[in-house]
Amino acid sequence: MDTQIWLIIIGMTLATAIPRLLPYYVINKRPLSAAVQKWLKLLPTVIFASMIAPPLLTDSGAFAPLAHLTDLTAVVLAGLIAYFTRNLAFSLGSAVVALLAAQYLF
């Protein structure tokens, strides 16, 4: 490969690694308050919800939750099962089965 391509790959690696690793090393050395720890535990859920909600609740840029009713039902089912069982594999598996059943029946 060309040297320029390797420099681009190394630069992109640093550009993505530094913002991820630097906060980890800064936070890892200090004790965090209980409120900050609770807030940090909620971040993955909030980020996932913010990524999955817009495609489920909109259609052509307008709010239309009924446009994706089968997908929305599967996500709600997976969320409920995950909340009560705390089992990722079971909740995702049940969502896939529910989605396949809904698409087969309707």
Side-chain angles (χ1 to χ4, degrees):
M1 269 198 223
D2 189 35
T3 306
Q4 184 179 7
I5 293 175
W6 281 109
L7 289 174
I8 291 171
I9 291 172
I10 291 169
M12 292 172 67
T13 302
L14 290 174
T16 59
I18 289 173
R20 295 173 190 212
L21 295 176
L22 187 63
Y24 172 76
Y25 286 115
V26 170
I27 290 175
N28 199 23
K29 304 222 184 250
R30 297 180 184 171
L32 299 173
S33 67
V36 172
Q37 288 179 359
K38 184 177 180 181
W39 181 75
L40 287 173
K41 286 182 182 178
L42 293 175
L43 274 179
T45 306
V46 170
I47 291 169
F48 181 70
S50 69
M51 290 184 338
I52 201 168
L56 285 176
L57 299 175
T58 59
D59 192 30
S60 301
F63 181 69
L66 297 178
H68 306 284
L69 191 57
T70 56
D71 299 335
L72 191 59
T73 304
V75 168
V76 169
L77 177 68
L80 287 172
I81 291 173
Y83 179 77
F84 288 113
T85 65
R86 303 282 192 234
N87 188 333
L88 179 65
F90 182 62
S91 61
L92 290 177
S94 62
V96 169
V97 168
L99 187 58
L100 289 174
Q103 289 180 349
Y104 178 74
L105 294 174
F106 302 112

